[in-house]
Amino acid sequence: MAENKKFVRLFEIYTSLILDGFIDKNKLIDSNNMSIRTAQRDIEEIQRYLQIDLSLENDRYTIKKEDLKKLKKGFNFDNDNLKKNIDILFSVFMKKVSSNLSLIPYSTISKLLPRNVDNEYYDVIVIANNEINNITGSSENIDKLLSCVKDLNDISFNYYIQSSKINYRVKAIAYLIYYFQGIWYLVAYDHKYKRIKTYSISNISDIEIIQKLKFNSNKDKEEYDKEHKNRLNSRDKLIKLIEKKRSIYWSDNDLIKTTVYFNADVAHYFKNRDYGFNQKIKKELEGGAILVNFDFSSFTELRIFLSPWLGSFKIISPKYFNKEFIEHLNYSLSIMND
């Protein structure tokens, strides 16, 4: 139990570093009810684990810019002591970020997640043998989906939309499985709508694998190989897009250039790391506030992205986004007060 508490503390230190670029010494001591000596040991240990140097100034342990860049790209767990306790750290990691996996860099996630049965990550993010975040659904369905994604097969399945209580048949190319904010999704190319769509795996049933074509000639084989190569390329582009956006929300429509004002209380978060897609600081204002540019594919994506920062931002442009957000908040408050 004591060791588990220790890794909870170490994970909190790690997340503070990667999100803020520093650790508040007094806050660390007070929040964990620990002694100065224990805090110092934790700091020394995290420096050894991550192979970084922290400087103490004004009661803050601050990370160097070059070390912060290394941290954001992920790191290799070469320390034997950390390897022995990786199960504990992984458990703490999942408990802490299960509600918002998008806050942690993909490269770090890939080093923490256990590998799948083929001892590869390819493009399927799978949390296996973990009671916290098992994929919901029948094991037969999940095995079929994993197989289809690996081989980029054409598949068909029934999909249930809970809000409308509609069940319909989908024919699509299975590209990848992705975990985002507590939900597992199949990302696939829908043949009917001719675009990439996401499907909650828990709402998928009756999966059928469309069999591969039989090759009656070398020409047939060449055409199949060409199509498979195109699908591989498409999947690679999808993975890069999702990694950049850290979200499953996108569309085929043009991205909407958006400018958001953040007050001084939260501005440092956006100065230290990229949260949104194509994030770029437009202007630093007096008093510590900033204007930040993002690209969003829809109001839904913007609403979900900005919700954690309520009370600390205003949408400057487009103005209709700010109007829609206010209407959304008023509607939500009316339901809560009803």
Side-chain angles (χ1 to χ4, degrees), residues 11 14-16 18-19 71-75 93-94 96-113 125 178-180 242-243 245-247 273-275:
F11 183 80
Y14 165 68
T15 51
S16 294
I18 203 165
L19 295 178
L71 212 60
K72 288 179 179 179
K73 289 180 181 178
F75 52 89
F93 174 85
M94 288 317 308
K96 289 288 182 182
V97 303
S98 60
S99 63
N100 202 343
L101 196 62
S102 60
L103 285 180
I104 307 299
Y106 174 81
S107 52
T108 301
I109 293 171
S110 66
K111 291 176 175 62
L112 283 172
L113 295 182
I125 300 178
Y178 192 71
Y179 176 84
F180 180 71
I242 291 175
E243 286 179 15
K245 290 171 72 68
R246 299 189 183 124
S247 166
R273 63 162 291 183
D274 290 344
Y275 280 88

Side-chain angles (χ1 to χ4, degrees), residues 187-203:
V187 182
Y189 177 83
D190 190 298
H191 286 300
K192 180 180 179 180
Y193 294 98
K194 299 187 183 303
R195 64 187 177 92
I196 297 292
K197 296 186 70 175
T198 53
Y199 303 91
S200 173
I201 288 178
S202 60
N203 295 337

Side-chain angles (χ1 to χ4, degrees), residues 46 89 140 142 164 169 171 213-214 231 263 272 309:
I46 205 74
L89 182 60
E140 183 182 355
I142 293 164
S164 307
R169 196 72 181 168
K171 290 185 178 180
L213 297 173
K214 292 183 179 179
R231 292 185 183 188
N263 66 24
N272 287 331
W309 310 100

Side-chain angles (χ1 to χ4, degrees), residues 177-189:
I177 291 173
Y178 192 71
Y179 176 84
F180 180 71
Q181 294 189 340
I183 300 175
W184 289 96
Y185 294 93
L186 169 69
V187 182
Y189 177 83

